[in-house]
Amino acid sequence: MYFWPFFRIIAFFTFSYRIPPIHAFASNYTQKCRCFPGEPCWPKESEWAAFNQSINGRLIATNPIGHVCHGDTYDAQQCAHLRASWNDPKTHYTTSSSIMAPYFANQSCDPFTSISARCGIGTYIQYAVNATGASDYQKAIRFAQRYNLRLVIRNTGHDYLGKSTGAGALGIWTHNMKSIEVLQYNSSSYTGKAIKLGAGVQSLEAFKEAHQHGLLTVGGNCPTVGIAGGYTQGGGIGPLTSMHGLGVEQALEWEVVTASGELLKVSQIEHEDLFWALNGGGGGTYGAILSLTVKAYEDVPMAGANLTFTREGVSQDAFFKVVEKFHECLPALADAGAVAIWTLTNTSFVLAPVTASRMSKEEVDGFLKPTFDELRENGMNYTYFSKLFPSYFDNYNALNPPPETSYFQMGGRFMPRSVVASRNAEMTHAMREIVGYGAGIGGLSFKALTLNQSRSSLNPLWQDALVSVAVGIVWDNTNWDLNLANQGLMTHTLIPTLDKLTPNASSVYLNEADFREPDWQQVFYGSSYEGLLRIKRKYDPNGLFYGRTAVGSEVWTEQTDGRLCHV
Ligand SMILES: Cc1cc2nc3c(=O)[nH]c(=O)nc-3n(C[C@H](O)[C@H](O)[C@H](O)COP(=O)(O)OP(=O)(O)OC[C@H]3O[C@@H](n4cnc5c(N)ncnc54)[C@H](O)[C@@H]3O)c2cc1C
Ligand SMILES: *[C@@H]1O[C@H](CO)[C@@H](O)[C@H](O)[C@H]1NC(C)=O
Ligand SMILES: *[C@@H]1O[C@H](CO)[C@@H](O)[C@H](O)[C@H]1NC(C)=O
Ligand SMILES: *[C@@H]1O[C@H](CO)[C@@H](O)[C@H](O)[C@H]1NC(C)=O
Ligand SMILES: *[C@@H]1O[C@H](CO)[C@@H](O)[C@H](O)[C@H]1NC(C)=O
Ligand SMILES: *[C@@H]1O[C@H](CO)[C@@H](O)[C@H](O)[C@H]1NC(C)=O
Ligand SMILES: *[C@@H]1O[C@H](CO)[C@@H](O)[C@H](O)[C@H]1NC(C)=O
Ligand SMILES: *[C@@H]1O[C@H](CO)[C@@H](O)[C@H](O)[C@H]1NC(C)=O
Ligand SMILES: *[C@@H]1O[C@H](CO)[C@@H](O)[C@H](O)[C@H]1NC(C)=O
Ligand SMILES: *[C@@H]1O[C@H](CO)[C@@H](O)[C@H](O)[C@H]1NC(C)=O
Ligand SMILES: *[C@@H]1O[C@H](CO)[C@@H](O)[C@H](O)[C@H]1NC(C)=O
């Protein structure tokens, strides 16, 4: 396999916008870099202790979970167990510091390195506030500002772009804020059922509570992704996208603590600019969310299906001909209200699941018929299952594959409807090329979106998309250099292969994207970027909330030791 040499490590800091110089800092942020552990500016033990006391003892000093695999704390049995459960999201989201995207852990305390390999805090956050409410958020924000600390907000640690960790950072950990309240919501724009979700609520928890009230609500096909953080703020796709739209389209009201420490209620009628930014402008950027109130809908019977086949016994051409036929089915399937989610590799195809609201089982089967015909024509074996379930919840539980972490390095692109409909052969060929390098492709197809651009800041190119394509390269737990080489392959070869299909108009779901994307402002945020940057500067003038590829992050750089500094 050919790999592009890995030489453009800082490529993702290049940008095409003219960012006015940062000036007029009123606080300790005049310093070039955030305070780093070991420096004289770093809070003394007694100061951490006083802070801890002020938050009722809820401060957690990071002890990386990989410590059971190293040095004096090595424990063969616990280490084996940790390795075996490393790809289970729960291993990470139940902790105050661990993250799922391995690159950003930087082997700081890696369970797959040798016993004698280093185990330190490294790129994990130094401390976490196990938050319970606004007061904890406010105290953490004040403490970070007072000592010029890097601040990170984390819920589940799912983020593929490393936005939920940071070297030398204090974290606000939202995972335990699990309140869920079903309510009747009345406003000028929406009257109906709604659910108020605490910042720590994960998709399946919201689905379960909604189901108990005969309702459904929008969330990820991944059951453990949090709703109020990166998911909704970045867009939010899932099994119901064709039926009820994206996560951001559900948002009625946010409770937010801003960088100034104010607790704001943000909606279409209060702080409308911040409402616009939170609805699609990316997680961890504008403020710390305490709760999100979203629309809820009556639960309904829902059909679903899954399909698998492999390349076994047939030519590469025949295999990809079937894939092309499948792509041909997508526009009609999406228009009729279904979401299809699939993965493709060089040797296999797994469609799991199709979620088809307002359709019978037979209708779903019908939409996929051209794929079955092609499979039969080639004498290929396949497994297919379809059924009408009494509710979304039953459908979801039966058809969603068990969740796994991001053991992939990630990149992606939207495929516009026009490309799928009229350049399918070319698109399928591009995907064949990509999986030929050993990468995998994940697709999620959905009905055309019409975004209200005065209430959502999402990249308007979402509206042209039929498929959100994710390209993943499996992470190698033992070969760091190979992983770095694969980043180069992603950025310089695989993603450009898809770009040929969308000249000058490439866009991607910012949560499932390459963190080294050279033109991320344009490709992630599109024409919303400048407006978002204005709102970022208004609510967070000193850049307290930083994340890689987050709006406004181009004025920062992470040095090789992890220190966060102004460029
Ligand atoms: C295995 C897997 C499956 C996925 N499946 C889906 C899917 O089905 N649909 C989909 O749309 N996406 C999916 N994603 C992508 C997912 O939406 C993003 O990873 C998202 O960032 C996760 O949000 P989180 O808050 O749970 O994660 P975290 O990693 O905890 O946080 C992500 C970002 O949100 C910020 N954030 C978190 N909480 C808050 C808060 N309270 N206030 C302000 N900022 C906050 C963080 O600072 C960070 O920038 C998946 C990712 C993985 C790894
Ligand atoms: C800057 O930090 C010092 C402590 O290091 C603190 O006493 C001072 O109040 C801070 N200044 C501001 C403006 O926050
Ligand atoms: C914070 O205080 C609690 C209760 O006193 C204690 O258990 C915890 O270890 C402290 N955290 C830190 C980082 O010292
Ligand atoms: C965090 O706080 C919750 C209660 O809100 C508690 O149940 C949990 O044990 C705490 N976690 C840690 C690691 O201290
Ligand atoms: C909301 O509206 C419904 C009907 O329009 C009404 O019955 C209900 O009392 C209202 N609730 C609130 C909290 O205003
Ligand atoms: C399909 O499965 C049957 C039974 O397992 C097997 O004999 C046959 O070779 C398979 N066909 C292909 C094309 O793999
Ligand atoms: C398809 O769904 C059925 C029913 O839940 C399940 O038994 C089967 O394992 C699923 N297949 C795939 C590939 O997910
Ligand atoms: C993909 O399949 C083709 C055809 O069999 C083969 O030449 C190529 O090496 C495979 N690529 C990978 C990464 O397995
Ligand atoms: C779009 O949002 C704006 C502002 O929130 C609102 O006033 C308007 O009615 C919405 N338009 C539509 C078509 O829903
Ligand atoms: C893309 O941009 C280039 C350079 O700006 C231009 O020459 C080309 O015509 C554009 N292509 C399309 C399809 O718009
Ligand atoms: C990552 O690890 C390397 C050593 O492998 C070290 O030189 C570097 O400083 C670390 N980066 C961060 C950000 O901690």
Side-chain angles (χ1 to χ4, degrees), residues 238-250:
L240 298 176
T241 307
S242 294
M243 186 184 194
H244 292 302
L246 295 170
V248 293
E249 297 179 89
Q250 318 308 316

Side-chain angles (χ1 to χ4, degrees), residues 44 108 194 225 274 306-307 349 484:
K44 296 180 195 51
S108 302
V225 163
L274 189 52
N306 64 35
L307 166 71
F349 176 92
L484 293 189

Side-chain angles (χ1 to χ4, degrees), residues 184-186 191:
Q184 171 70 29
Y185 193 89
N186 294 348
T191 302

Side-chain angles (χ1 to χ4, degrees), residues 1 311 316 346 435-438:
M1 197 186 305
R311 213 187 66 198
Q316 194 78 344
N346 206 26
V435 298
Y437 280 97

Side-chain angles (χ1 to χ4, degrees), residues 324 327-328 330-331 413-431 464-467 469 497-503 505-506:
E324 189 179 325
H327 292 152
E328 210 175 292
L330 292 174
R413 280 298 182 257
F414 290 137
M415 282 300 112
R417 171 172 289 255
S418 59
V419 169
V420 184
S422 53
R423 293 162 66 199
N424 183 8
E426 208 182 320
M427 180 185 83
T428 306
H429 184 79
M431 292 181 176
D464 299 338
L466 175 70
V467 184
V469 170
T497 300
L498 291 174
D499 278 339
K500 287 180 201 146
L501 298 159
T502 54
S506 292

Side-chain angles (χ1 to χ4, degrees), residues 478-549:
T478 58
N479 190 342
W480 186 262
D481 291 338
L482 174 66
N483 294 320
L484 293 189
N486 281 339
Q487 291 181 354
L489 180 73
M490 179 69 76
T491 308
H492 303 297
T493 304
L494 303 187
I495 300 302
T497 300
L498 291 174
D499 278 339
K500 287 180 201 146
L501 298 159
T502 54
N504 302 352
S506 292
S507 55
V508 66
Y509 179 20
L510 64 83
N511 281 333
E512 297 183 349
D514 176 8
F515 77 98
R516 300 174 75 238
E517 170 70 51
D519 193 18
W520 58 267
Q521 288 94 338
Q522 189 59 37
V523 175
F524 291 12
Y525 303 91
S527 58
S528 295
Y529 195 80
E530 281 172 63
L532 286 168
L533 191 56
R534 256 194 314 276
I535 294 165
K536 166 73 175 170
R537 291 220 183 98
K538 173 177 167 187
Y539 287 94
D540 184 18
N542 296 334
L544 177 69
F545 302 109
Y546 162 85
R548 276 171 215 87
T549 71

Side-chain angles (χ1 to χ4, degrees), residues 223-457:
T224 61
V225 163
I227 295 192
Y231 176 82
T232 299
Q233 291 177 68
I237 50 179
L240 298 176
T241 307
S242 294
M243 186 184 194
H244 292 302
L246 295 170
V248 293
E249 297 179 89
Q250 318 308 316
L252 296 167
E253 199 172 300
W254 302 85
E255 282 183 302
V256 191
V257 176
T258 62
S260 65
E262 266 179 292
L263 170 59
L264 301 181
K265 206 160 122 178
V266 173
S267 71
Q268 196 166 306
I269 50 167
E270 290 174 89
H271 310 289
E272 210 181 322
D273 56 352
L274 189 52
F275 187 62
W276 180 80
L278 292 172
N279 293 344
T285 310
Y286 313 94
I289 308 303
L290 268 179
S291 78
L292 166 64
T293 305
V294 294
K295 295 175 189 171
Y297 310 88
E298 193 193 332
D299 201 351
V300 289
M302 211 171 282
N306 64 35
L307 166 71
T308 65
F309 58 90
T310 71
R311 213 187 66 198
E312 208 179 305
V314 295
S315 70
Q316 194 78 344
D317 284 348
F319 176 73
F320 282 101
K321 192 72 200 164
V322 182
V323 173
E324 189 179 325
K325 274 289 166 199
F326 167 72
H327 292 152
E328 210 175 292
C329 302
L330 292 174
L333 190 62
D335 288 347
V339 164
I341 300 174
W342 68 96
T343 53
L344 173 70
T345 71
N346 206 26
T347 53
S348 66
F349 176 92
V350 179
L351 171 63
V354 177
T355 309
S357 51
R358 302 194 183 98
M359 257 187 252
S360 67
K361 165 188 148 39
E362 290 71 23
E363 282 172 290
V364 179
D365 301 346
F367 280 114
L368 293 170
K369 184 170 179 298
T371 315
F372 302 137
D373 290 346
E374 188 67 28
L375 282 161
R376 290 197 200 98
E377 196 158 305
N378 290 295
M380 289 164 73
N381 291 327
Y382 62 93
T383 67
Y384 181 67
F385 172 89
S386 65
K387 183 178 167 177
L388 180 67
F389 293 89
S391 72
Y392 170 60
F393 194 64
D394 294 308
N395 174 309
Y396 187 86
N397 284 329
L399 293 180
N400 263 278
E404 291 206 304
T405 61
S406 49
Y407 58 92
F408 296 102
Q409 299 202 78
M410 185 54 70
R413 280 298 182 257
F414 290 137
M415 282 300 112
R417 171 172 289 255
S418 59
V419 169
V420 184
S422 53
R423 293 162 66 199
N424 183 8
E426 208 182 320
M427 180 185 83
T428 306
H429 184 79
M431 292 181 176
R432 176 174 173 168
E433 243 179 85
I434 289 168
V435 298
Y437 280 97
I441 284 190
L444 188 150
S445 62
F446 51 88
K447 191 172 168 172
L449 299 161
T450 311
L451 297 170
N452 182 341
Q453 286 175 46
S454 48
R455 76 184 288 295
S456 160
S457 55

